[in-house]
Amino acid sequence: MTDLSIDLGFIKLKNPIIASSGTFGYGLEFAPFIDLNKLGGIVVKGLYFSPRPGNSPPRLVEASSGLINAVGLQGVGVKKFSEEILPQLRKYSTAIIVNVCGEKDEEYASVVDFLDKEEGISAYELNISCPNVEKNGVCPALDPETTFSVVSLVKKSSSRPVIVKLSPNVTDIAEIALSAQEAGADALSLVNTFLAIAVDVETRKPVLPKVFGGLSGPAIKPLVLRMVYQVVSRVKIPVIGIGGILSAKDALEYLIIGARAVEVGTANLIDPEATVKIIDGLTEYCQKNGIDKIESIIGTLKKPQGLD
Amino acid sequence: MTDLSIDLGFIKLKNPIIASSGTFGYGLEFAPFIDLNKLGGIVVKGLYFSPRPGNSPPRLVEASSGLINAVGLQGVGVKKFSEEILPQLRKYSTAIIVNVCGEKDEEYASVVDFLDKEEGISAYELNISCPNVEKNGVCPALDPETTFSVVSLVKKSSSRPVIVKLSPNVTDIAEIALSAQEAGADALSLVNTFLAIAVDVETRKPVLPKVFGGLSGPAIKPLVLRMVYQVVSRVKIPVIGIGGILSAKDALEYLIIGARAVEVGTANLIDPEATVKIIDGLTEYCQKNGIDKIESIIGTLKKPQGLD
Amino acid sequence: MIKDSQARIIDKKSWNNYYLFSLESPRIASQAHPGQFIMIRISHHPHPLLRRPLSIHSKDEKSIDIFFQVSGLGTDLLSQKKVGDILDILGPLGKGFHGGASLNGKDVVAAGGGRGIAPLYFLAKELRSHGALVKIFYGGKSLEDIPLKEKFKRENFDLYCSTDDGSFGFKGFITEYLKTELEKFTPSRIFSCGPEEMMKKIAQFAAKKNIPAEFSLESVMGCGFGVCWGCVKRIKKNGEEGWVKICEEGPVFSSEEIVWTEEEK
Amino acid sequence: MIKDSQARIIDKKSWNNYYLFSLESPRIASQAHPGQFIMIRISHHPHPLLRRPLSIHSKDEKSIDIFFQVSGLGTDLLSQKKVGDILDILGPLGKGFHGGASLNGKDVVAAGGGRGIAPLYFLAKELRSHGALVKIFYGGKSLEDIPLKEKFKRENFDLYCSTDDGSFGFKGFITEYLKTELEKFTPSRIFSCGPEEMMKKIAQFAAKKNIPAEFSLESVMGCGFGVCWGCVKRIKKNGEEGWVKICEEGPVFSSEEIVWTEEEK
Ligand SMILES: Cc1cc2nc3c(=O)[nH]c(=O)nc-3n(C[C@H](O)[C@H](O)[C@H](O)COP(=O)(O)OP(=O)(O)OC[C@H]3O[C@@H](n4cnc5c(N)ncnc54)[C@H](O)[C@@H]3O)c2cc1C
Ligand SMILES: Cc1cc2nc3c(=O)[nH]c(=O)nc-3n(C[C@H](O)[C@H](O)[C@H](O)COP(=O)(O)OP(=O)(O)OC[C@H]3O[C@@H](n4cnc5c(N)ncnc54)[C@H](O)[C@@H]3O)c2cc1C
Ligand SMILES: Cc1cc2nc3c(=O)[nH]c(=O)nc-3n(C[C@H](O)[C@H](O)[C@H](O)COP(=O)(O)O)c2cc1C
Ligand SMILES: Cc1cc2nc3c(=O)[nH]c(=O)nc-3n(C[C@H](O)[C@H](O)[C@H](O)COP(=O)(O)O)c2cc1C
Ligand code: FES
Ligand code: FES
């Protein structure tokens, strides 16, 4: 029997496969396809305090091996989430993580405040990295100071562990990571989508009505692997890798580099069974390679030593 | 007759299609495939002052809709280039641009010094953005100050226009662009490759011996379009777009956003006729859409105005 | 609403740019309603990434048909599949058209343009089985774009064809043809699927004449089962307007529900 | 060294994981030398992006053959192409094997493992046409991995087969078989293509016995025609060691030229 469990310190996961925010709805939508109890965790769709209307369509455009989205975090708000969705989600034995959003630092804190009263949440994932198309993609995670400010504020009011989700649209992601760690982050998740544009050459308009969107999918994987590599050697808290994972092989690349867990995003849209297939693929890999505990491969990348 | 010519201020190009550095050899290698006189320009392979051995293999790994390379700028050095290659290249009536590299600011300047004596070069492209795998991807273009320093030094010694090639691995590429402009850059080219990693999950080694490589190809196009968009509204000098151009449609996206020319890179490896096909495709597009001069579509992206 | 990862292509027909596939899927065949759709996985490689939505064109006991036009890479790759190939599909998805028994003995119109005809064949057969008298309005750019006209004729539907270039039937848009004909009779309901401009026009004169109408909307779909929030359209329900996921609540909506917007392509 | 964007597949054979295609290309057929290769464009979509290098396996008046093993996505997609499909290829590329006329009447060995056998058929035929006495050493994991053995036999080549599992011929690696046989005769030259470990071993005992040897190297290739500098191997020429583009200067090098390195996979 292969042991796929992973200890993040503040929480133990059945396995390192977590469904990522915004690509897994509120979780329940996947119950007809897969046994949710099999997942390491579920990050629900980003929650602002109040319901949000989202952006006007088109909200999606396909790119080469990728997807550009500008959904704009349309969602139900904390109240409806707590009353209608959480009670159903709680029944599953998997880690429920809430993706917390805010226009201002205070909104993040008030979402956490509100949810702290509810049972059945394992951790918060602070979405400080959603490329806000209104503000040309600006978000707190672009800067160490704004990162520090929002993370420390939330940590003050939160009774639960806080995972901070970083943005890839920066020069030195390790610098932001260190800042989040200093502000008290319990873990980091890397990364949210890459700021992107597509143009319709026939109409000469941007395909997305507010020009910008966020790129996800296989196209970004090599870039995110690099960012995880840059961060794991600098921080002490666990890192969760997110970007372009379609298969167990993709997930393994992240784990070997040093991510202690991964989130699977766009893959869920293409194949609602993706997470479970990836979990099965991890078991298969471990069995084939005589690995008893998947923990034992984390961060085992054989780095070259002084080649010419 | 469609007029594809483009005025960059310091030079007029036959058309906006330039072959990008490192993917077009020293240019001559393509003579068996295409008529080099048809191109807007050719940027030759990156030149350091002295010949360079390059990195140990494997140097390439394919990614999703992309290519990761760690060639390491193996090359012949300025002397051999001037004596053996330039005399042959000069015969073609297309803009010859030399991609100038350096370990230190002074090396850039000495390459330019040396080449300034030679005839038949239209401009230099300052490669301050090649992710140097020895230094974990660090390069001058990551920082406005190091950018300013090397650009102003080179501008002092150069009798020719200087195009500054920027890196995508930054938070705010417009800031770097402004810094290069302030230092005297005559144009900007966006972008060099994205710092990337691939892992072999069977051996648990990085696929590239020095871990890092640079991602190019269609995967990066949506990200580079965004960067060009961010830069063109901030600078006065012309911007050349580079990234993932395989077809005329791809090139047109860049031109419509505001790039005055584009460089075609990885596409040359896949189809040595790519540049010429793209030029033909531009003519076709113009004819179909009743456009007499391609100049007239540059920067014509219809930006949304105050949608809800 | 679940997955068939082993739906075999058991028949394939084609006319120029248009294709008709029969897919073996007893489960979907038994559950499907007209106006519902499936999401097809085109490739198992990273590009093209997303599934593509296609309407259920008709159904048999154990199989469903899809009818599609090659519109880009995804449909092009799909068109190259052969009889015997296996497709991975999700469905039946969405809610489909309404009405049915209540239309017994009534005149109804099903108006489709180009590939928009796809769901209307299934709908027309179902409506007739409920006793409705179905008139099909079928428009295309040219004779080549109305390849299903024989099929509708074989089934003895009242068929009104138009082509923009006049190469077959009424010369002009199907909306104009319909408008002309509506001076002669007034259907109890209009069902329509096709380019948004066409549906908008039909909605306008249906509203003027007070004919209830239903439209099948299109949108780029990320998932097809309600989790990505990518497919929204402006919809008014219970007096409230908002962005509604058409994969879940639609793709079919009534005239009163749809807020036709300028921004839509 | 130019392009054929219209090379038609005129024949296709397969054995399990191995495929043999004949491609119509009079130009390449008239120019090709053994050991040269072509670069095939697998798809016209953004993924997989790069062309794939395949050796010229044999040639006819108007066509060339390729013989390949499915090793990943590119070769998998290629294997699905059908007779009549059109391929876009570059070639003939590289420099190929040396020797020829000078080997008239001499014993020579061509040793290939797995897919490495591909260029050796063309080579063996050419060598024989120059009067050389060619012995083929052909190894694979199992009987399934030496599908060309019948072909070599039909052409009356002296054939020595080995399989790792002993399912056919000598049980063990082809290198061991060759070593054993080399106690009985000494060829004037050894030509080899296959896994690097195999070639390294052959190079070692060829060196010991002072037999000149040539090897066809593999590498990930970005272009195949010398512009990306991606395909380099460590090569010693005129006393100087450096990274040399094998697509241009190779892929065939002699024992003395190759610097076998540890880092290579
Ligand atoms: C519910 C639903 C049912 C449909 N039923 C049918 C059908 O039965 N027969 C049929 O031929 N077509 C149908 N379509 C349209 C079909 O899904 C698109 O033609 C197809 O997805 C285009 O994919 P592609 O890869 O070929 O083109 P792409 O290269 O992806 O795009 C070509 C063009 O189509 C647009 N497009 C891309 N995806 C969609 C999409 N999901 N919806 C609308 N436009 C899109 C693009 O913006 C672009 O302009 C349906 C669409 C929906 C939403
Ligand atoms: C000059 C030359 C001639 C060749 N001739 C033949 C031949 O005649 N028959 C044959 O079956 N194979 C031949 N090969 C090997 C063949 O090119 C690879 O098997 C093929 O490119 C793999 O592509 P893929 O997409 O199927 O696999 P991928 O998914 O790309 O890769 C599968 C595995 O192969 C490795 N690989 C990828 N590209 C190459 C490459 N260009 N060379 C070596 N390894 C690679 C990858 O690192 C990976 O481990 C030749 C290679 C070279 C360089
Ligand atoms: C349609 C869509 C909606 C998303 N919504 C959210 C969100 O609400 N909150 C968030 O933190 N990330 C959101 N993301 C980002 C993903 O969680 C993930 O970080 C990103 O897609 C990269 O992973 P992938 O390549 O596996 O998709 C969204 C992504 C997509 C494609
Ligand atoms: C194999 C290879 C070698 C390259 N060498 C150089 C170089 O010498 N100098 C440089 O400025 N850019 C170099 N580049 C970057 C390209 O010029 C270009 O900026 C990048 O590939 C993005 O464009 P593309 O997506 O069209 O390939 C190289 C790229 C590749 C793939
Ligand atoms: S297509 Fe994903 S929610 Fe409708
Ligand atoms: S494969 Fe590009 S130089 Fe050899």
Side-chain angles (χ1 to χ4, degrees):
Chain A
M1 272 308 305
T2 315
D3 178 3
L4 292 185
S5 72
I6 285 287
D7 195 348
L8 290 181
F10 54 90
I11 186 181
K12 224 179 136 138
L13 305 179
K14 279 184 191 168
N15 59 63
I17 305 301
I18 303 170
S20 97
S21 182
T23 62
F24 210 69
Y26 295 108
L28 304 166
E29 296 91 332
F30 283 78
F33 296 104
I34 55 174
D35 179 358
L36 296 175
N37 298 308
K38 285 196 177 165
L39 304 183
I42 295 173
V43 188
V44 298
K45 194 168 162 38
L47 268 188
Y48 280 85
F49 193 84
S50 306
R52 297 249 307 182
N55 294 329
S56 40
R59 291 178 169 187
L60 303 177
V61 48
E62 227 185 83
S64 294
S65 298
L67 168 66
I68 311 178
N69 92 79
V71 169
L73 292 155
Q74 176 162 4
V76 297
V78 283
K79 199 150 167 287
K80 188 163 173 192
F81 174 74
S82 305
E83 287 169 8
E84 299 179 17
I85 296 160
L86 194 53
Q88 297 180 65
L89 257 183
R90 254 196 298 262
K91 292 181 206 146
Y92 294 98
S93 79
T94 180
I96 303 300
I97 300 166
V98 175
N99 187 257
V100 174
C101 305
E103 289 286 346
K104 302 238 166 83
D105 289 6
E106 291 70 32
E107 186 172 2
Y108 289 96
S110 60
V111 172
V112 166
D113 254 0
F114 188 98
L115 293 175
D116 254 358
K117 289 169 273 170
E118 306 292 329
E119 300 273 301
I121 297 171
S122 299
Y124 303 117
E125 179 179 62
L126 227 56
N127 178 2
I128 59 167
S129 47
C130 189
N132 188 322
V133 297
E134 309 284 342
K135 306 189 208 149
N136 296 345
V138 170
C139 63
L142 296 190
D143 181 87
E145 281 169 36
T146 48
T147 298
F148 185 89
S149 141
V150 60
V151 175
S152 47
L153 184 72
V154 169
K155 273 300 288 184
K156 256 182 239 155
S157 53
S158 171
S159 69
R160 297 204 171 102
V162 173
I163 303 165
V164 177
K165 187 164 180 179
L166 301 185
S167 164
N169 305 306
V170 296
T171 310
D172 182 1
I173 193 165
E175 184 193 14
I176 315 286
L178 285 166
S179 183
Q181 173 177 279
E182 206 188 313
D186 298 283
L188 301 168
S189 56
L190 278 64
V191 292
N192 216 310
T193 53
F194 286 68
L195 198 61
I197 292 183
V199 176
D200 182 328
V201 302
E202 299 306 329
T203 62
R204 289 197 226 157
K205 283 192 204 166
V207 179
L208 300 173
K210 283 168 187 159
V211 189
F212 296 104
L215 180 69
S216 64
I220 67 172
K221 192 188 68 173
L223 309 184
V224 186
L225 283 169
R226 179 260 298 179
M227 292 176 189
V228 170
Y229 181 88
Q230 289 175 320
V231 167
V232 289
S233 63
R234 303 277 298 279
V235 300
K236 293 187 203 107
I237 51 180
V239 168
I240 300 169
I242 323 171
I245 297 175
L246 294 187
S247 67
K249 194 191 142 296
D250 297 325
L252 284 160
E253 289 193 72
Y254 280 97
L255 299 176
I256 290 168
I257 277 193
R260 297 195 60 80
V262 297
E263 292 182 22
V264 174
T266 306
N268 295 305
L269 310 182
I270 304 163
D271 184 357
E273 297 167 353
T275 45
V276 169
K277 283 186 188 161
I278 292 170
I279 294 166
D280 292 345
L282 291 183
T283 304
E284 214 174 281
Y285 173 88
C286 287
Q287 283 171 351
K288 217 183 94 193
N289 292 281
I291 295 160
D292 293 335
K293 287 178 62 66
I294 200 147
E295 283 261 9
S296 70
I297 69 158
I298 289 170
T300 57
L301 184 74
K302 293 174 195 150
K303 289 183 211 168
Q305 16 175 324
L307 293 184
D308 68 287
Chain B
M1 270 310 305
T2 315
D3 178 3
L4 292 185
S5 72
I6 285 287
D7 195 347
L8 289 182
F10 54 90
I11 186 182
K12 223 180 136 134
L13 304 179
K14 279 182 191 171
N15 60 62
I17 305 302
I18 303 170
S20 96
S21 182
T23 62
F24 210 70
Y26 295 108
L28 304 166
E29 297 90 332
F30 282 79
F33 296 104
I34 56 174
D35 179 358
L36 296 175
N37 298 308
K38 288 196 176 165
L39 303 183
I42 295 172
V43 187
V44 299
K45 195 171 162 36
L47 268 188
Y48 281 85
F49 194 84
S50 308
R52 296 249 307 182
N55 294 329
S56 40
R59 289 177 170 188
L60 303 177
V61 48
E62 227 185 82
S64 294
S65 296
L67 168 65
I68 310 177
N69 91 79
V71 169
L73 292 155
Q74 177 164 3
V76 299
V78 283
K79 197 148 169 289
K80 187 160 173 193
F81 173 75
S82 306
E83 287 169 6
E84 299 180 16
I85 297 162
L86 193 53
Q88 297 180 65
L89 256 182
R90 254 196 299 261
K91 291 181 206 145
Y92 295 98
S93 78
T94 180
I96 304 299
I97 299 167
V98 175
N99 186 258
V100 174
C101 304
E103 288 286 345
K104 302 236 167 85
D105 290 6
E106 291 69 32
E107 186 171 2
Y108 289 96
S110 60
V111 171
V112 166
D113 254 1
F114 189 98
L115 293 176
D116 254 359
K117 288 169 276 173
E118 306 292 329
E119 301 271 302
I121 296 171
S122 299
Y124 303 118
E125 179 179 63
L126 226 56
N127 178 2
I128 60 167
S129 46
C130 189
N132 188 322
V133 298
E134 309 284 342
K135 304 188 208 149
N136 297 346
V138 170
C139 63
L142 296 190
D143 181 88
E145 282 169 34
T146 47
T147 298
F148 186 89
S149 140
V150 61
V151 175
S152 47
L153 184 71
V154 169
K155 273 300 287 185
K156 257 182 239 155
S157 53
S158 171
S159 69
R160 297 203 171 101
V162 173
I163 303 164
V164 177
K165 186 164 180 180
L166 300 185
S167 165
N169 305 305
V170 297
T171 309
D172 182 1
I173 193 165
E175 184 193 14
I176 315 287
L178 285 167
S179 182
Q181 174 177 276
E182 206 187 314
D186 298 282
L188 301 168
S189 55
L190 277 65
V191 293
N192 216 309
T193 53
F194 286 68
L195 198 60
I197 292 183
V199 176
D200 182 329
V201 301
E202 299 306 329
T203 62
R204 289 197 227 157
K205 283 191 204 167
V207 179
L208 300 172
K210 281 165 189 162
V211 188
F212 296 104
L215 180 69
S216 65
I220 67 172
K221 191 188 68 173
L223 310 184
V224 186
L225 284 169
R226 180 260 298 181
M227 293 177 188
V228 171
Y229 181 88
Q230 289 174 320
V231 167
V232 289
S233 63
R234 303 278 298 278
V235 300
K236 293 188 203 108
I237 51 180
V239 168
I240 301 168
I242 323 172
I245 298 175
L246 294 187
S247 68
K249 193 191 144 297
D250 297 325
L252 284 160
E253 288 193 71
Y254 280 98
L255 299 176
I256 290 167
I257 278 194
R260 298 194 60 80
V262 297
E263 292 182 22
V264 174
T266 306
N268 295 306
L269 310 182
I270 304 162
D271 184 357
E273 297 167 353
T275 45
V276 169
K277 283 186 189 161
I278 292 171
I279 294 166
D280 292 346
L282 291 183
T283 303
E284 215 174 280
Y285 173 88
C286 287
Q287 284 172 350
K288 217 183 93 193
N289 291 281
I291 296 161
D292 294 335
K293 286 179 62 67
I294 199 145
E295 282 260 10
S296 70
I297 70 157
I298 289 171
T300 57
L301 184 74
K302 293 174 196 151
K303 288 181 212 169
Q305 14 174 326
L307 294 185
D308 69 289
Chain C
M1 192 267 276
I2 29 175
K3 206 172 130 162
D4 271 349
S5 47
Q6 296 289 326
R8 186 185 305 274
I9 302 174
I10 54 177
D11 195 22
K12 174 176 176 176
K13 288 196 188 65
S14 68
W15 306 263
N16 300 303
N17 223 5
Y18 294 87
Y19 292 81
L20 183 99
F21 283 14
S22 298
L23 311 178
E24 197 172 45
S25 175
R27 186 185 54 76
I28 299 183
S30 75
Q31 299 171 353
H33 296 295
Q36 287 189 303
F37 64 99
I38 61 174
M39 292 289 288
I40 303 193
R41 184 143 188 200
I42 302 293
S43 100
H44 286 262
H45 314 136
H47 185 87
L49 194 59
L50 300 177
R51 288 175 187 262
R52 296 294 191 264
L54 291 176
S55 303
I56 297 168
H57 169 63
S58 81
K59 68 172 190 179
D60 225 318
E61 210 170 303
K62 299 212 158 143
S63 66
I64 55 168
D65 285 4
I66 51 174
F67 173 76
F68 64 95
Q69 179 181 19
V70 171
S71 312
L73 176 58
T75 44
D76 186 20
L77 290 174
L78 184 62
S79 75
Q80 293 170 33
K81 308 267 176 189
K82 304 178 297 286
V83 170
D85 285 356
I86 300 290
L87 291 178
D88 172 346
I89 63 182
L90 304 179
L93 299 165
K95 297 225 158 72
F97 292 100
H98 308 94
S102 67
L103 295 167
N104 190 352
K106 308 264 171 72
D107 272 336
V108 300
V109 161
R115 67 189 190 204
I117 199 69
L120 300 183
Y121 181 77
F122 185 10
L123 173 71
K125 290 194 71 166
E126 187 101 342
L127 287 172
R128 183 155 68 185
S129 78
H130 288 296
L133 308 167
V134 191
K135 292 182 204 296
I136 308 287
F137 282 76
Y138 184 12
K141 285 199 182 132
S142 187
L143 174 59
E144 297 170 348
D145 296 297
I146 49 172
L148 295 186
K149 62 179 173 23
E150 307 302 333
K151 185 170 179 179
F152 278 103
K153 256 193 227 146
R154 270 199 309 276
E155 294 281 334
N156 288 314
F157 283 106
D158 250 0
L159 184 63
Y160 299 76
C161 290
S162 75
T163 53
D164 302 357
D165 63 3
S167 50
F168 188 86
F170 178 91
K171 179 174 173 163
F173 293 138
I174 194 70
T175 45
E176 295 162 16
Y177 195 10
L178 178 58
K179 209 169 172 181
T180 318
E181 292 299 311
L182 284 191
E183 286 163 17
K184 306 178 195 157
F185 77 102
T186 305
S188 298
R189 194 167 308 184
I190 298 174
F191 300 92
S192 179
C193 181
E196 195 132 318
E197 278 313 307
M198 168 195 130
M199 295 196 288
K200 231 191 263 188
K201 273 199 198 123
I202 294 182
Q204 280 163 5
F205 58 73
K208 254 190 229 149
K209 298 204 165 218
N210 264 316
I211 308 168
E214 292 181 20
F215 301 91
S216 180
L217 301 181
E218 272 196 20
S219 156
V220 179
M221 291 192 168
C223 65
F225 52 95
V227 301
C228 76
W229 296 74
C231 62
V232 300
K233 290 278 175 177
R234 202 75 185 161
I235 299 293
K236 202 161 41 188
K237 273 204 167 158
N238 314 321
E240 258 186 274
E241 212 183 289
W243 299 117
V244 166
K245 295 180 278 186
I246 72 165
C247 68
E248 222 176 35
E249 308 283 325
V252 178
F253 295 93
S254 69
S255 278
E256 304 83 54
E257 292 173 319
I258 302 171
V259 184
W260 304 99
T261 55
E262 286 307 309
E263 289 83 49
E264 318 287 351
K265 288 196 277 197
Chain D
M1 191 268 276
I2 28 175
K3 209 173 128 160
D4 272 349
S5 46
Q6 297 289 327
R8 185 185 306 275
I9 302 174
I10 54 176
D11 195 22
K12 174 176 175 177
K13 287 196 188 68
S14 69
W15 305 263
N16 299 303
N17 223 5
Y18 294 88
Y19 292 80
L20 183 100
F21 283 13
S22 297
L23 311 178
E24 198 171 45
S25 177
R27 186 185 55 76
I28 299 183
S30 74
Q31 299 172 354
H33 295 294
Q36 287 187 304
F37 63 100
I38 61 175
M39 291 291 288
I40 303 193
R41 184 140 187 202
I42 302 293
S43 100
H44 286 261
H45 313 137
H47 184 87
L49 194 60
L50 299 177
R51 288 174 187 262
R52 297 293 191 264
L54 291 177
S55 304
I56 297 169
H57 170 63
S58 81
K59 70 172 187 178
D60 223 319
E61 212 169 302
K62 300 211 158 146
S63 66
I64 55 168
D65 286 4
I66 51 174
F67 172 76
F68 64 95
Q69 180 180 17
V70 171
S71 313
L73 175 58
T75 44
D76 185 20
L77 290 174
L78 184 61
S79 75
Q80 293 169 32
K81 309 266 178 192
K82 304 177 297 286
V83 170
D85 285 356
I86 300 291
L87 291 178
D88 172 345
I89 61 182
L90 303 178
L93 299 165
K95 297 228 158 71
F97 292 100
H98 309 93
S102 67
L103 295 167
N104 190 351
K106 307 265 172 71
D107 273 336
V108 299
V109 161
R115 68 190 189 202
I117 199 71
L120 300 183
Y121 181 78
F122 185 9
L123 173 71
K125 289 193 73 165
E126 186 101 342
L127 286 171
R128 184 155 69 185
S129 78
H130 288 298
L133 308 166
V134 191
K135 290 182 206 297
I136 308 287
F137 283 76
Y138 184 10
K141 284 201 183 133
S142 186
L143 174 59
E144 298 170 347
D145 296 296
I146 50 172
L148 295 185
K149 63 180 173 25
E150 307 301 332
K151 185 169 179 179
F152 279 104
K153 255 193 228 145
R154 271 198 307 279
E155 294 280 336
N156 287 316
F157 283 107
D158 251 0
L159 184 63
Y160 299 76
C161 289
S162 75
T163 52
D164 301 358
D165 63 3
S167 51
F168 187 87
F170 178 89
K171 178 173 175 165
F173 294 138
I174 195 71
T175 45
E176 294 162 16
Y177 195 10
L178 178 58
K179 207 169 174 183
T180 318
E181 292 299 311
L182 286 191
E183 284 163 18
K184 304 179 196 157
F185 77 102
T186 304
S188 299
R189 194 167 310 184
I190 298 175
F191 300 92
S192 180
C193 181
E196 196 133 318
E197 278 313 306
M198 169 195 130
M199 296 197 288
K200 227 191 263 189
K201 272 201 197 120
I202 295 182
Q204 280 164 4
F205 58 72
K208 253 192 228 146
K209 297 202 166 216
N210 265 318
I211 308 168
E214 291 181 21
F215 302 91
S216 180
L217 301 181
E218 272 195 19
S219 156
V220 179
M221 290 192 168
C223 66
F225 52 96
V227 300
C228 76
W229 295 75
C231 62
V232 300
K233 290 278 175 177
R234 202 75 186 160
I235 299 293
K236 201 161 42 189
K237 272 204 169 158
N238 313 322
E240 257 186 274
E241 214 181 288
W243 298 118
V244 166
K245 295 181 278 187
I246 72 165
C247 69
E248 220 175 38
E249 309 282 327
V252 178
F253 295 93
S254 68
S255 277
E256 304 82 55
E257 291 171 320
I258 301 170
V259 185
W260 303 99
T261 54
E262 286 307 309
E263 288 83 48
E264 318 286 352
K265 287 193 278 195

